[in-house]
Amino acid sequence: MSEVNLMNQNRIPIYEALEKFLKNDPISFHVPGHKNGMLLKNEYPDLSRFLTYDVTELSGLDDLHSPDGPILEAQKLLSDYYGTRRSYFLVNGSTVGNLIMILSAFNAGDKVLVQRNCHKSIMNALVLAKVIPIFIEPRIDENMFVPEGVRKSIIKAAYNQYADVKGLVVTHPNYYGMTSYLEDIINIVHQHKGVVLVDEAHGPHFHLGEPFPKSAIDLGADMVVHSAHKMLPAMTMGSYLHINSNAISISKVEYYYSVLQSSSPSYPIMATLDIARHFIANFNEEDINYTLSQRNSFVTSLCKLEGVEVVNRNMKQDPLKLIVRYKGYSGYMLQRMLEEENIYIEMADPYQVVFILPLLKKNMVYSYSDALIKIKRVFEKYKPKSNSLKGIVVESDDKISSLSLLYEEMEDRSIEWVPFRYAENRIAAKMIIPYPPGIPTILPGEVITEEKIRLIKKYIEMHAKFQGETSRLLNGEIAVYI
């Protein structure tokens, strides 16, 4: 376990090592080719200053794949803050964290429960691990038209149906900041001697405690991935991987860690991962209160604007995920309107947009006031409309499903595109994901039913967006295995 109370969370080892290195005015006869930014100094001076931190594994700067200096200390500080068995820096994003989790926790042929509306990196990891996924489908929130978290009743039902399940892969929270009954779910899986892997990409700040939802680490998940770049001040692709129980093999994790991560890790990314840990580890109650007061003031001002609705949920939700609607306009339209005033939100769906708000230390100034001026300008130009948006009709019953083909059986199979009317009872060859609700309606390897075809047609009629080869789908064709 971590060295509780022995580590100084005010240290920033990687950043300190880089600063010490750069003070010596080093001359580069090594990679990378920009030579400490020197080659770009005249034409791109601002970029050149940043590139001085983009170095390689030099004396005193340690090696991510065999750390014994500042990188090792930085990862120990990370583990110490979160209270984990072991924690690691990821420079290839949470995508590589999800791959490492699944490949190290399960063996080929294992049955694994998987939340159906998971990130595509989890789907890819299932294929690489050659496990047998048992998909569990969350219900759809009737107000927001997006999937809620997984319910404990469906986990119990899945174990009644598949007694030899080895574990669960779940997402917590979802993109909208909504959480599920994760503690109960973890307890159920552990009672069946399984492991719980959590993609907590949007929740690295949950360890702060109230008013944020509880972290999967604190709730007892066996492995957790955090996207430090999503909610903490780390560079894009900077993430954390945590081992949180003795049920996980450290040697297997570190094997896949070395195989899947770049052999030339980015020092700027690692430095900001170190800084992000320092930032959150030294976040205190005054900072939390200040963050919330700034957030609440912004929300109050938004709600005073005619036609604006800030969607609140009864279930536990991250207060830094702000879900906003504007009467008579789709989320996509609202997004385009805001961008006319250079307000850029995280995402939009047919009904709403999502603002991701910042964690602020006391007295930090953020551009809330400027944002409100610009937002008011938008709504003066685009008045609210009386018409309301009709929701897409989706099924909301919990479901458990499996594939008709093993992943290895799909590897060399040929595919063809067939009209909807000929697709029933064929085996799907490609994933079809409508947004919303963001749950795959069809997965490769599962049988296409009349019910699923009817549902896809509904989505198309409602002008839902799809991932993948949408042109053929919108022309009424589905890819199937021959």
Side-chain angles (χ1 to χ4, degrees), residues 83-140:
T84 63
R85 183 180 173 209
R86 197 76 63 90
S87 293
Y88 304 86
F89 286 175
L90 301 174
V91 295
N92 295 69
S94 290
T95 289
V96 79
N98 286 332
L99 294 173
I100 293 167
M101 279 202 304
I102 290 170
L103 286 164
S104 60
F106 303 119
N107 298 313
D110 283 352
K111 289 190 179 74
V112 180
L113 299 179
V114 182
Q115 185 173 334
R116 191 171 173 116
N117 60 317
C118 62
H119 190 266
K120 63 182 179 181
S121 61
I122 289 175
M123 295 293 187
N124 291 334
L126 300 174
V127 175
L128 292 175
K130 292 182 167 58
V131 299
I132 301 173
I134 310 300
F135 293 105
I136 47 181
E137 188 168 329
R139 293 187 178 182
I140 307 302

Side-chain angles (χ1 to χ4, degrees), residues 258-418:
S258 66
V259 168
L260 297 171
Q261 285 242 100
S262 172
S263 60
S264 301
S266 164
Y267 273 82
I269 291 176
M270 288 191 289
T272 61
L273 283 171
D274 199 11
I275 289 167
R277 183 273 315 155
H278 176 268
F279 178 88
I280 197 70
N282 290 282
F283 214 82
N284 59 36
E285 189 172 347
E286 277 190 317
D287 297 327
I288 293 173
N289 291 336
Y290 180 74
T291 291
L292 292 177
S293 69
Q294 293 292 300
R295 178 255 184 212
N296 292 341
S297 177
F298 180 62
V299 171
T300 299
S301 297
L302 278 180
C303 290
K304 290 179 180 178
L305 301 177
E306 183 185 0
V308 172
E309 177 190 3
V310 175
V311 183
N312 293 310
R313 300 287 300 118
N314 292 325
M315 65 194 305
K316 195 68 175 174
Q317 184 175 350
D318 183 359
L320 298 183
K321 294 291 179 70
L322 204 63
I323 302 161
V324 178
R325 294 176 179 172
Y326 189 49
K327 189 174 181 181
Y329 294 86
S330 71
Y332 302 124
M333 295 167 68
L334 178 54
Q335 180 181 30
R336 289 193 295 270
M337 289 152 49
L338 292 170
E339 288 178 357
E340 289 180 14
E341 288 290 336
N342 296 308
I343 300 289
Y344 294 91
I345 48 85
E346 174 64 17
M347 65 167 288
D349 66 27
Y351 318 106
Q352 55 238 341
V353 299
V354 177
F355 289 69
I356 295 185
L357 306 184
L359 282 163
L360 299 173
K361 288 188 179 289
K362 188 178 179 181
N363 298 324
M364 273 186 176
V365 177
Y366 195 69
S367 305
Y368 280 129
S369 296
D370 291 341
L372 282 167
I373 291 170
K374 292 184 175 186
I375 291 169
K376 288 177 182 177
R377 199 179 295 153
V378 169
F379 295 155
E380 287 170 1
K381 182 177 179 181
Y382 299 97
K383 298 296 184 182
K385 298 178 182 178
S386 57
N387 61 302
S388 58
L389 295 169
K390 184 180 179 182
I392 292 178
V393 179
V394 293
E395 298 177 339
S396 60
D397 293 335
D398 294 334
K399 287 189 175 181
I400 303 168
S401 60
S402 59
L403 303 179
S404 296
L405 292 176
L406 298 175
Y407 285 125
E408 51 263 41
E409 293 177 310
M410 300 182 223
E411 287 179 354
D412 299 317
R413 288 212 175 192
S414 300
I415 69 170
E416 62 178 344
W417 290 83
V418 300

